[in-house]
Amino acid sequence: RDALVTSAVNCLTSFLSGFVIFTVLGYMAEMRDVEVEDVARDKGPSLLFITYPEAIANMVGSTFFAIIFFLMMITLGLDSTFGGLEAVITAVMDEYPQVLAGRRELFVLGLITVCFLGSLSTLTYGGAYVVKLLEEFGAGCSILAVVLLETIAVSWFYGIQRFSHDVKAMLGFTPGVFWKVCWVAISPALLAFIVVSSLLDQPPLTLFDYQYPEWSVSVGYLIGASSFICIPFYMVYKLVWTPGSLKQ
């Protein structure tokens, strides 16, 4: 129930955001006497920090709307950061409980310090270009690739029947045929299609009339691959060092 409610709220929020975004873009296009696509030509940082503030400044009660708009951006950024950091913290703490037991605060401090130092590059004069590179390659395909591997690991290797028994032990009922088909076939197929199609159709990376050089795009691919390349490496490591034959 929680998963369905969260998904529904997420989709409805995006639907509402579409009305909000294109209302503002239409208003700015009317003010500048240009087409809507010209207003949103440079998506990302310029839309968020230039176009939107300019529209808010022309509204009645602009100070109030500016305050709540940027408070929303701050809370959205913090919320996303909490979720991402907690995923790393929980995974590492569960993997090495003997080493990190009683040292959670120090580990969190070290992790946040690394993230802080790594993000300093986004505050330089070329920071917007770094953000664009991370936005294009750091998320998107890499996240979908990780989810695809998770789906395959649970449904095919762990086994859908074993997973269904676990669900029954937790919830008291076995998932229906629809959910099993989704987990085994539909979800992996859709995820694989999205990943492959997005990799095949890559337009030139540009921002503010600047086209990224080829070497920077290669760096972007390395950034994206770094998110999930450890999964097959760790799989090979476990297969080599775990006692028993390959089949076992």
Side-chain angles (χ1 to χ4, degrees):
R1 183 186 61 189
D2 290 348
L4 290 173
V5 169
T6 304
S7 301
V9 170
N10 189 29
C11 291
L12 290 173
T13 304
S14 300
F15 189 66
L16 175 63
S17 299
F19 285 103
V20 175
I21 290 168
F22 283 100
T23 301
V24 172
L25 291 180
Y27 171 67
M28 292 304 298
E30 184 72 19
M31 279 188 58
R32 297 177 178 180
D33 194 23
V34 295
E35 296 296 325
V36 172
E37 57 265 26
D38 293 329
V39 178
R41 185 176 67 255
D42 291 321
K43 301 184 289 293
S46 64
L47 186 63
L48 182 63
F49 295 111
I50 299 174
T51 308
Y52 247 79
E54 184 181 345
I56 291 172
N58 289 282
M59 292 180 181
V60 178
S62 57
T63 304
F64 169 74
F65 285 111
I67 289 172
I68 62 173
F69 173 73
F70 284 105
L71 278 177
M72 178 194 72
M73 294 310 305
I74 292 170
T75 53
L76 178 64
L78 287 174
D79 183 56
S80 302
T81 304
F82 290 155
L85 285 176
E86 193 59 41
V88 176
I89 293 166
T90 304
V92 177
M93 292 288 294
D94 289 348
E95 187 70 21
Y96 306 104
Q98 298 87 1
V99 178
L100 298 175
R103 300 187 180 92
R104 178 185 171 90
E105 291 80 6
L106 290 175
F107 172 66
V108 174
L109 176 62
L111 180 63
I112 292 174
T113 303
V114 171
C115 293
F116 172 77
L117 294 175
S119 63
L120 286 179
S121 62
T122 63
L123 303 178
T124 61
Y125 286 115
Y129 301 96
V130 177
V131 171
K132 179 69 174 179
L133 192 70
L134 294 173
E135 181 186 12
E136 289 291 325
F137 297 101
C141 273
S142 57
I143 294 176
L144 290 175
V146 171
V147 174
L148 173 62
L149 292 173
E150 287 178 352
T151 308
I152 292 172
V154 172
S155 302
W156 298 358
F157 289 94
Y158 183 70
I160 194 64
Q161 294 302 327
R162 194 180 300 175
F163 182 66
S164 298
H165 290 321
D166 294 341
V167 173
K168 184 177 181 181
M170 290 184 286
L171 302 181
F173 61 88
T174 304
V177 176
F178 169 75
W179 294 106
K180 292 180 181 179
V181 173
C182 281
W183 294 331
V184 172
I186 297 176
S187 294
L190 287 176
L191 288 167
F193 173 76
I194 294 171
V195 171
V196 172
S197 61
S198 60
L199 288 175
L200 291 177
D201 185 22
Q202 281 283 355
L205 189 60
T206 58
L207 180 67
F208 304 134
D209 299 322
Y210 170 76
Q211 183 165 340
Y212 284 68
E214 286 296 326
W215 67 265
S216 64
V217 176
S218 301
V219 170
Y221 280 119
L222 290 175
I223 292 171
S226 67
S227 300
F228 63 89
I229 198 66
C230 56
I231 297 174
F233 281 168
Y234 191 73
M235 181 182 71
V236 173
Y237 162 75
K238 293 297 285 186
L239 283 172
V240 170
W241 290 99
T242 302
S245 65
L246 181 63
K247 183 178 178 181
Q248 290 172 333

